[in-house]
Amino acid sequence: MAIIVQAVVFTDSNLDDAIAFNDFCHNHQPPIAFIKTEVRGLFGNIFCDFGPEFTVLDVDGEEPHTGIIASISNDNPALVSCVDDERLEFQDGDLVVFSEVKGMTELNDGKPRKVRNTRPFSFTLEEDTTNFGMYERGGIVTQVKQPKVLNFKPLREAIKDPGDFLLSDFAKFDRPPLLHLAFLALDKFVAGQGRLPFPGSEEDAQKLISLARDLNETQGAGKLDDINPKLLQHFSFGARAVLNPMAAMFGGIVGQEVVKACSGKFHPLFQFFYFDSVESLPTEPLEPSDFRPLNTRYDAQISVFGAKLQKKLEDAKVFLVGSGALGCEFLKNLALMGVSCGKEGKLTVTDDDVIEKSNLSRQFLFRDWNIGQAKSTVAASAALSINPNLHVEALQNRVGPETENVFDDAFWENLTAVVNALDNVNARLYVDQRCLYYQKPLLESGTLGAKCNTQMVIPHLSENYGASRDPPEKQAPMCTVHSFPHNIDHCLTWARSEFEGLLEKTPAEVNAYLSNPSEYASAMRNAGDAQARDNLERVLECLSEDRCETFQDCIKWARLRFEDYFANRVKQLIYTFPEDAATSNGAPFWSAPKRFPHPLQFSEADPSHLHFIMAGSILRAETFGIPVPDWVQNPKKLAEAVNKVIVPDFQPKKDAKIVTDEKATTLSTASIDDAAVINELLSKLEHCRKNLSPGFRMKPIQFEKDDDTNYHMDMIAALANMRARNYAIPEVDKLKAKFIAGRIIPAIATSTALATGLVCLELYKVLDGGHKLEDYRNTYATLALPFFSMSEPVPPKTIKHQDMSWTVWDRWIVKDNPTLRELLKWLSDKGLNAYSISCGSCLLYNSMFPRHKERMDKKVVDLAREVAKIEIPAYRRHLDVVVACEDDDDNDIDVPLISIYFH
């Protein structure tokens, strides 16, 4: 059996062998993608050659960008304007195609056209539309992604003429040519000595530097002015070491390159990438003896950083928040680095989640048999098998205000560093605030598909995570989702909402009513609004004489749902707003981005129609505990059952209320008759309840995206696609529906490995403790392009007063349980006149209130208990107060939070 090799990866090969193998791969038919990579201490490189002609099918992996057209001019070139609900992402030179354009139909020919002068909501089209029809309305413009052909040079040629290097750190723009020279010199050193340089050996370092000088002299126009002997010394000292963070980082990059070679998706690395992290070295000078091996598993790390930093790593007390994709990688890295593996060390990992099947592709410490188990426990156990000396404690607590009794003052104050491995912004912000409060370094990272970012939050040196945030994701207005969708995301959002309403919330409401009818009725009457009326109508529909008792009833329910959703509601909508309807100012109502809908005519011959009925009836039966017959999956028998359902004729309502206000937060309009309707519904419900068997309950269905046999995604995909068909929106397959409706954040192992490797390089700096701000690096990277952008963190904003200064990192501490008078005096001594002191939401003191002067000789802590009614937990040793101050010139001064210690 012949094996077709598409890509090979060489690690630690000498240059002559690599050139020979690369020549074979380059000239092979078809060419074999060749990737060479080396990690030497804090230095690494990658070389890629994917052959003489390699076609990239999709350069960036992003979905083609689209825009909804608002107008097109009859010009040369034509100006195209789009609606302003979403910025255009086109770039000059992009090719686009048009569809659904009314009037100027010549553009609907599917021919790709080039765009220029791109703006957020407009662009010019390289097309003379002077003689085209006049634009009327509608139209979608879609980017056409073009393949790209790359011509790689073989290693033999590229070594001499490397071209442009892929840059990672703009502070080191001149570094890649030097590292290119350094690795060539190292190859010559190994060829001559038969070994790599010894750690800490000045003699070997000087030999390497001499070889680099000689090579530099032969470079001609590429000769470097400075070969940086100090950098080459570091390179020589660590040449024998493969450090875990470097291996993780380069493994992530190379892994993605292999995928590119085999799939043609994403732009390959072209062709050399060099990287170093010499900033991770200890700040204090090291003696040759510091690098001496100790006959431990950490000798490679010691050969780069010395034994003192290794001891700091082992004694570190680290808090890892999260043990999912990032968390698993971090646990592996930390165990291999020896972090928290000493007698004084401790690694605490917490995660309140359990392992799901979909986690297994990237959360590599988990296996099939771990599904359903606690993530933190399984991950910690796997990390222990990597390094039995790891002192790890696994918790299942969510980190938040509700668990401050677990993660208390003593816990936070004892930490050396905090590492976030979270997947949501709110949790990140909370941990960030805790790190600010206790002045602990926070190492933050995140991934999104092939993209990743890292941020170092270092006490008193950098700004905190919450100081700069991305704007929140734009949410589609309620009326758009429910009545005027114009893309598949809107349809899937609606489908997910309907699924939860029909199959989870309504059965739960039924059970709430049946558990305590009088209390439920009282709650509905007290609410007295449209939402209460809607809830009761849904509950009544489940308990009335027409409730489902057989599977045929469930089919009837699903068939009538189809008619309601995809025929009647659309007929009502276009009855209320006909195609020629106008707004109050005379503009066409159905103008972009609104799409005019068309009702569906049910047909048992349409597989997608039948699939909706099948999924809906099966799930409806599950909520009622009705057995599902085997024949439901037989299209012919299912069609026969559906044909038995009598569907009433539709009659439009003349006074139907359809919300069109984009700012509306609810689609139910309040009515003065709500109270009367609620009473009538409750009366009907009471009558129905008497006809139910004792103990009758429904089974709410909680959406689970990862079980392919439960029909949840079948139902949601069918709901969304039928709705998309109403509005002539392109439909999606079940996998794409799962991705959007399941709100899946795309995660791949390669970008996760890259992010955690970069963070662990920063951890060396954090645990060493002597680094300046300019030594740290924040990173944004995307493996798709590939692109790296490393920069030093932003310093925190500084507030100055007299000879003092402080930042967001400062918290003033006042000990010995002072009185209010003593606290005011303490501030006055700093030139600050406090006019207001508050604790929580309660005011303890204000200089404007005469009665507050009676509180002057009371302890601040006692005032908080007495006035603010604050109960101070037994584990808490201090109380925080917010003080508003002025200077002597009556200027407001923002002072830090003040902590009053009473123990």
Side-chain angles (χ1 to χ4, degrees):
M1 177 180 170
I3 298 174
I4 300 172
V5 176
Q6 290 178 267
V8 293
V9 179
F10 280 77
T11 60
D12 301 331
S13 61
N14 66 59
L15 189 57
D16 288 341
D17 287 348
I19 287 172
F21 280 113
N22 175 238
D23 284 345
F24 172 81
C25 293
H26 188 86
N27 297 319
H28 190 271
Q29 289 301 324
I32 298 169
F34 176 91
I35 303 166
K36 177 183 181 296
T37 185
E38 275 184 282
V39 168
R40 302 290 179 195
L42 289 167
F43 299 80
N45 73 32
I46 299 172
F47 169 78
C48 290
D49 169 17
F50 286 11
E53 283 192 3
F54 180 80
T55 301
V56 186
L57 302 175
D58 185 350
V59 171
D60 58 11
E62 302 287 345
E63 287 290 319
H65 301 303
T66 64
I68 299 171
I69 298 166
S71 68
I72 308 172
S73 69
N74 291 90
D75 282 317
N76 184 19
L79 175 65
V80 180
S81 298
C82 293
V83 297
D84 61 1
D85 71 328
E86 209 165 306
R87 291 173 63 94
L88 292 173
E89 299 291 341
F90 299 151
Q91 295 182 358
D92 284 9
D94 278 355
L95 294 176
V96 300
V97 293
F98 292 82
S99 59
E100 304 179 32
V101 177
K102 300 288 192 299
M104 197 179 285
T105 55
E106 293 89 344
L107 289 178
N108 294 332
D109 57 6
K111 171 187 163 186
R113 293 171 165 87
K114 194 171 285 188
V115 303
R116 295 287 181 200
N117 303 320
T118 54
R119 300 284 183 271
F121 305 107
S122 68
F123 57 87
T124 55
L125 192 65
E126 287 194 353
E127 183 83 32
D128 182 357
T129 61
T130 310
N131 297 318
F132 285 12
M134 183 78 70
Y135 173 81
E136 294 174 11
R137 62 184 175 87
I140 306 289
V141 58
T142 306
Q143 177 192 30
V144 179
K145 304 196 83 170
Q146 295 291 298
K148 181 178 180 181
V149 177
L150 296 175
N151 309 116
F152 287 86
K153 288 186 289 192
L155 182 59
R156 183 185 300 277
E157 295 175 22
I159 280 287
K160 299 170 187 170
D161 181 17
D164 293 332
F165 297 101
L166 175 62
L167 195 61
S168 61
D169 188 337
F170 293 102
K172 303 177 183 178
F173 68 91
D174 57 348
R175 190 66 57 83
L178 176 57
L179 297 184
H180 186 69
L181 187 70
F183 275 96
L184 290 176
L186 181 65
D187 188 76
K188 286 197 173 294
F189 182 100
V190 173
Q193 303 294 319
R195 61 172 176 84
L196 289 162
F198 288 122
S201 169
E202 290 284 354
E203 184 183 348
D204 282 356
Q206 287 306 316
K207 285 179 184 174
L208 183 76
I209 292 166
S210 178
L211 286 168
R213 280 201 182 98
D214 292 345
L215 278 169
N216 191 40
E217 293 300 323
T218 68
Q219 296 300 301
K223 181 181 175 183
L224 304 177
D225 295 333
D226 177 18
I227 64 163
N228 197 338
K230 185 66 178 173
L231 186 82
L232 292 177
Q233 182 192 56
H234 290 315
F235 179 64
S236 177
F237 281 8
R240 286 176 172 252
V242 177
L243 301 173
N244 170 260
M246 291 288 289
M249 173 193 168
F250 274 78
I253 301 170
V254 169
Q256 194 65 56
E257 292 306 307
V258 172
V259 175
K260 294 174 187 178
C262 297
S263 67
K265 184 168 185 175
F266 300 159
H267 196 292
L269 195 160
F270 193 84
Q271 292 190 256
F272 279 104
F273 173 63
Y274 287 97
F275 174 84
D276 75 85
S277 184
V278 287
E279 303 82 15
S280 294
L281 289 169
T283 50
E284 292 183 5
L286 298 176
E287 299 296 324
S289 59
D290 292 324
F291 303 112
R292 189 176 299 124
L294 301 178
N295 198 28
T296 70
R297 65 185 294 168
Y298 313 118
D299 281 354
Q301 199 160 250
I302 290 169
S303 75
V304 175
F305 297 100
K308 290 175 189 170
L309 181 55
Q310 183 60 44
K311 179 76 164 58
K312 289 180 180 179
L313 293 178
E314 292 177 38
D315 289 343
K317 296 171 180 66
V318 176
F319 185 25
L320 176 61
V321 190
S323 58
L326 286 164
C328 282
E329 283 283 347
F330 276 126
L331 276 166
K332 176 261 293 180
N333 291 356
L334 297 175
L336 289 170
M337 292 163 69
V339 173
S340 303
C341 292
K343 290 181 181 177
E344 302 297 319
K346 183 177 180 182
L347 172 61
T348 305
V349 56
T350 190
D351 196 313
D352 66 342
D353 202 4
V354 296
I355 298 162
E356 299 177 16
K357 187 175 182 179
S358 63
N359 300 149
L360 302 181
S361 67
R362 63 199 180 281
Q363 300 178 22
F364 73 104
L365 296 183
F366 307 144
R367 298 292 180 267
D368 280 345
W369 54 86
N370 298 132
I371 292 171
Q373 298 174 15
K375 283 186 176 180
S376 59
T377 305
V378 175
S381 176
L384 268 172
S385 68
I386 294 171
N387 191 336
N389 293 322
L390 181 66
H391 294 145
V392 60
E393 180 182 11
L395 303 175
Q396 285 81 50
N397 303 96
R398 182 187 295 269
V399 180
E402 68 278 7
T403 55
E404 287 181 8
N405 60 324
V406 178
F407 307 111
D408 56 15
D409 290 353
F411 173 83
W412 284 98
E413 287 166 358
N414 198 38
L415 293 175
T416 315
V418 180
V419 179
N420 264 355
L422 291 161
D423 62 359
N424 71 88
V425 170
N426 288 337
R428 286 182 166 105
L429 288 170
Y430 176 80
V431 174
D432 177 56
Q433 286 302 309
R434 294 284 86 189
C435 289
L436 266 182
Y437 189 85
Y438 294 101
Q439 301 184 23
K440 301 296 177 183
L442 171 64
L443 291 82
E444 169 61 51
S445 58
T447 69
L448 182 70
K451 305 181 184 81
C452 74
N453 69 282
T454 68
Q455 181 180 349
M456 299 305 108
V457 178
I458 311 299
H460 304 289
L461 289 183
S462 76
E463 69 177 11
N464 60 309
Y465 170 78
S468 56
R469 294 170 59 187
D470 291 333
E473 279 191 39
K474 187 175 178 182
Q475 299 291 322
M478 292 283 283
C479 68
T480 299
V481 170
H482 283 265
S483 298
F484 309 109
H486 54 81
N487 61 42
I488 196 65
D489 290 41
H490 297 154
C491 299
L492 282 160
T493 300
W494 172 83
R496 171 82 184 263
S497 174
E498 289 301 309
F499 179 98
E500 291 174 346
L502 292 171
L503 301 167
E504 182 181 2
K505 292 175 184 174
T506 297
E509 287 281 328
V510 168
N511 294 346
Y513 167 68
L514 294 175
S515 298
N516 196 327
S518 59
E519 186 177 306
Y520 186 86
S522 177
M524 291 298 106
R525 288 191 179 98
N526 287 339
D529 58 8
Q531 185 62 58
R533 184 191 67 209
D534 291 347
N535 287 347
L536 287 169
E537 286 173 348
R538 288 194 172 202
V539 171
L540 182 62
E541 190 257 347
C542 291
L543 300 183
S544 69
E545 288 76 6
D546 292 331
R547 66 181 175 273
C548 293
E549 295 182 332
T550 67
F551 192 74
Q552 181 63 36
D553 293 337
C554 298
I555 287 177
K556 176 184 176 182
W557 175 87
R559 174 65 184 87
L560 294 179
R561 278 286 159 195
F562 183 100
E563 200 68 16
D564 175 41
Y565 282 145
F566 311 121
N568 295 351
R569 293 192 189 187
V570 176
K571 290 174 184 176
Q572 181 65 61
L573 182 62
I574 60 181
Y575 175 84
T576 306
F577 300 110
E579 194 164 7
D580 59 357
T583 63
S584 56
N585 60 10
F589 179 84
W590 292 103
S591 57
K594 291 188 181 76
R595 300 169 73 89
F596 186 75
H598 299 277
L600 300 185
Q601 176 69 45
F602 180 82
S603 168
E604 65 268 19
D606 189 320
S608 55
H609 290 195
L610 270 187
H611 197 73
F612 171 84
I613 302 294
M614 180 179 72
S617 57
I618 288 172
L619 292 172
R620 178 71 164 180
E622 187 180 332
T623 64
F624 278 92
I626 297 168
V628 178
D630 293 338
W631 56 257
V632 71
Q633 295 190 21
N634 183 314
K636 186 177 178 182
K637 291 186 176 180
L638 181 60
E640 290 172 2
V642 174
N643 283 334
K644 293 176 185 176
V645 179
I646 298 171
V647 179
D649 291 335
F650 170 71
Q651 294 295 326
K653 298 175 184 174
K654 292 185 178 180
D655 57 348
K657 301 287 186 185
I658 297 174
V659 176
T660 58
D661 180 6
E662 293 193 354
K663 296 178 182 176
T665 57
T666 176
L667 295 170
S668 298
T669 50
S671 165
I672 55 172
D673 298 328
D674 279 337
V677 173
I678 286 171
N679 279 326
E680 184 183 350
L681 289 169
L682 286 169
S683 175
K684 289 180 179 177
L685 267 178
E686 185 59 26
H687 174 73
C688 292
R689 188 170 67 88
K690 292 173 182 175
N691 296 324
L692 295 173
S693 59
F696 172 85
R697 292 292 186 275
M698 291 185 71
K699 179 192 171 186
I701 296 176
Q702 194 165 13
F703 174 58
E704 169 52 61
K705 66 183 182 297
D706 292 319
D707 183 351
D708 290 332
T709 65
N710 63 11
Y711 289 95
H712 294 194
M713 277 313 308
D714 296 80
M715 179 69 168
I716 286 179
L719 276 166
N721 281 332
M722 293 303 96
R723 186 169 178 79
R725 201 172 292 184
N726 281 140
Y727 289 86
I729 294 168
E731 298 171 37
V732 291
D733 60 22
K734 186 174 160 185
L735 185 64
K736 183 69 178 290
K738 177 179 176 178
F739 185 82
I740 300 170
R743 296 164 193 152
I744 295 172
I745 297 173
I748 50 178
T750 51
S751 53
T752 307
L754 171 61
T756 54
L758 288 167
V759 168
C760 288
L761 287 172
E762 300 301 306
L763 185 61
Y764 289 126
K765 306 170 190 177
V766 168
L767 297 182
D768 177 56
H771 287 266
K772 299 175 182 176
L773 182 70
E774 53 266 29
D775 293 334
Y776 288 96
R777 292 290 184 271
N778 292 344
T779 303
Y780 169 77
T782 172
L783 289 173
L785 295 176
F787 171 80
F788 297 87
S789 175
M790 306 183 82
S791 58
E792 68 181 59
V794 176
K797 179 185 174 184
T798 301
I799 298 170
K800 295 184 178 180
H801 171 69
Q802 295 182 354
D803 58 349
M804 297 182 295
S805 65
W806 57 85
T807 70
V808 68
W809 283 102
D810 288 288
R811 174 164 60 103
W812 286 349
I813 292 173
V814 182
K815 296 186 176 178
D816 302 325
N817 198 11
T819 63
L820 184 56
R821 189 186 305 277
E822 288 168 340
L823 176 60
L824 293 171
K825 173 72 166 55
W826 186 85
L827 289 162
S828 178
D829 290 345
K830 297 177 182 293
L832 296 165
N833 305 313
Y835 60 83
S836 173
I837 301 175
S838 57
C839 182
S841 59
C842 190
L843 193 64
L844 302 184
Y845 167 77
N846 190 293
S847 59
M848 300 287 289
F849 298 164
R851 290 192 61 186
H852 281 194
K853 290 178 181 173
E854 299 170 9
R855 302 175 177 178
M856 285 296 221
D857 294 314
K858 289 191 175 183
K859 300 282 189 184
V860 175
V861 174
D862 293 339
L863 269 179
R865 288 192 177 107
E866 177 187 324
V867 178
K869 309 297 182 191
I870 287 177
E871 294 183 14
I872 302 173
Y875 58 81
R876 181 61 47 80
R877 305 197 303 271
H878 68 271
L879 180 81
D880 298 321
V881 294
V882 176
V883 181
C885 293
E886 295 174 335
D887 61 15
D888 292 336
D889 296 325
D890 297 335
N891 298 311
D892 277 335
I893 304 291
D894 288 330
V895 301
L897 191 69
I898 297 179
S899 295
I900 310 292
Y901 276 75
F902 50 85
H903 283 320

